[in-house]
Amino acid sequence: MPLASSVIVPYVSSLRVYEPLAAFPEPERTHWARYARRPVLPTGQDELRAALADLLPTPPVAVPVHESGDAYVAEAEGVVVVCPWRTRLRGWQALEELPEHYPPALLDAVLPPLVRRQASADYARWRERNPDARPWIRTSVWQVPVRWFVLFGDEEREFAGADGEQAARLRYRTPMVQARRRVARGLRTLRQQEGEGREGPLVTGLVDVGRWLEEFHPRSLVELDYGGLTHVLDETQLAEDRSAADVAEGIGALRAGDAEGAAAAYERLAERWRAVRHRQFAN
């Protein structure tokens, strides 16, 4: 259930996959069918608040003890689709990545080594029993990775300005078949540009996203949600943000052999997101 708090937890963007109920085995399918009929559903902010609250006890709770029974719910072509939170699984995976992003002293202060080692051991045992498990959600802090924009077209952009207590919202949604098609086209173009055996970080990241998408039902819905980043950018910046269009223009220019056009599109994109990342270090 939603937590009783109005505090906004920034600044996370999310890439989500919503699967039709038919993709889930029983009894999970029945659970999600009932869940989708609830009149009020928790939000991503509720999940983030709960995760932060787990860090307050001594010792802190690195990963939830039980898996979440919550999900995001949407409709695609008249069919109910569900994106399970799987907070516990994502917590374990995030824990493995923390040393790449935070200095040891800070990490030890927030999550002592003993707590992290215990969580890692729990995850290893769980993986033995669930080797094929994968999350329906990927998240990024203080940015939207460029590779995510490859999945979407500018015509799929949904922007809504702030309305009373409702914050501005910016997201993209596309059918799974379209997302996979764009990944394949983007990879072909980028690999031709970079040459055989010289895959850069964008190609590597896009390959990873493509493999992840292949794990899901072909009639799924793919969503990119700016989430908490809408509290970093003002409404004018959000309204003018056409990052997916810039990425599509850049890839199209590469395909046409227009290096200058590709560079111009990339520079617009880089400048926009450079300004956002700089705010991470502002007082």
Side-chain angles (χ1 to χ4, degrees):
M1 293 298 293
L3 302 178
S5 170
S6 61
V7 177
I8 299 296
V9 182
Y11 294 105
V12 179
S13 62
S14 299
L15 184 64
R16 306 183 182 117
V17 173
Y18 294 75
E19 290 195 283
L21 294 174
F24 297 93
E26 292 291 3
E28 190 175 8
R29 183 185 307 171
T30 297
H31 166 75
W32 292 131
R34 291 173 178 167
Y35 183 92
R37 292 194 292 269
R38 294 182 183 180
V40 179
L41 298 174
T43 68
Q45 286 292 313
D46 296 316
E47 183 189 22
L48 288 170
R49 293 187 192 107
L52 291 178
D54 282 342
L55 298 178
L56 297 179
T58 304
V61 179
V63 175
V65 177
H66 302 290
E67 187 55 271
S68 172
D70 288 309
Y72 297 100
V73 178
E75 189 173 295
E77 299 180 350
V79 175
V80 173
V81 288
V82 175
C83 175
W85 284 5
R86 289 298 192 270
T87 306
R88 194 178 193 217
L89 172 58
R90 288 164 48 223
W92 274 322
Q93 294 177 335
L95 199 62
E96 292 186 331
E97 299 171 1
L98 285 178
E100 301 174 11
H101 303 287
Y102 298 97
L106 176 59
L107 189 55
D108 290 348
V110 177
L111 289 171
L114 179 61
V115 172
R116 301 203 305 275
R117 285 197 297 270
Q118 182 61 57
S120 295
D122 292 342
Y123 183 38
R125 289 191 293 270
W126 186 88
R127 288 295 298 183
E128 290 179 358
R129 301 190 302 272
N130 304 274
D132 298 325
R134 79 285 196 249
W136 280 255
I137 305 171
R138 291 188 169 193
T139 57
S140 181
V141 180
W142 286 102
Q143 65 171 328
V144 176
V146 172
R147 59 187 176 274
W148 291 3
F149 288 117
V150 177
L151 280 58
F152 305 93
D154 186 64
E155 70 279 6
E156 294 161 342
R157 178 180 180 275
E158 300 177 13
F159 171 71
D163 181 15
E165 296 183 359
Q166 185 70 33
R169 186 190 71 201
L170 180 54
R171 72 184 182 196
Y172 294 82
R173 284 180 168 178
T174 194
M176 175 63 77
V177 64
Q178 188 67 277
R180 290 175 178 170
R181 185 178 296 123
R182 289 180 177 132
V183 168
R185 289 175 178 169
L187 282 173
R188 281 198 301 270
T189 299
L190 292 169
R191 281 170 166 162
Q192 289 171 359
Q193 178 69 22
E194 294 181 0
E196 189 70 29
R198 297 176 54 192
E199 293 190 350
L202 179 55
V203 169
T204 301
L206 199 53
V207 167
D208 177 61
V209 170
R211 288 173 177 166
W212 178 63
L213 294 179
E214 290 295 333
E215 296 287 334
F216 300 98
H217 194 282
R219 294 192 63 189
S220 297
L221 176 73
V222 185
E223 176 186 76
L224 167 56
D225 185 359
Y226 273 46
L229 292 178
T230 60
H231 303 286
V232 181
L233 302 166
D234 63 41
E235 195 161 322
T236 299
Q237 290 173 308
L238 289 169
E240 295 175 350
D241 185 313
R242 318 298 281 210
S243 293
D246 288 335
V247 171
E249 181 179 331
I251 292 176
L254 287 176
R255 190 179 298 118
D258 180 5
E260 290 187 4
Y266 176 78
E267 182 54 35
R268 288 196 302 273
L269 185 75
E271 180 60 30
R272 181 182 303 121
W273 289 101
R274 190 181 300 121
V276 175
R277 287 194 295 273
H278 284 170
R279 298 192 183 190
Q280 179 178 2
F281 307 102
N283 292 328

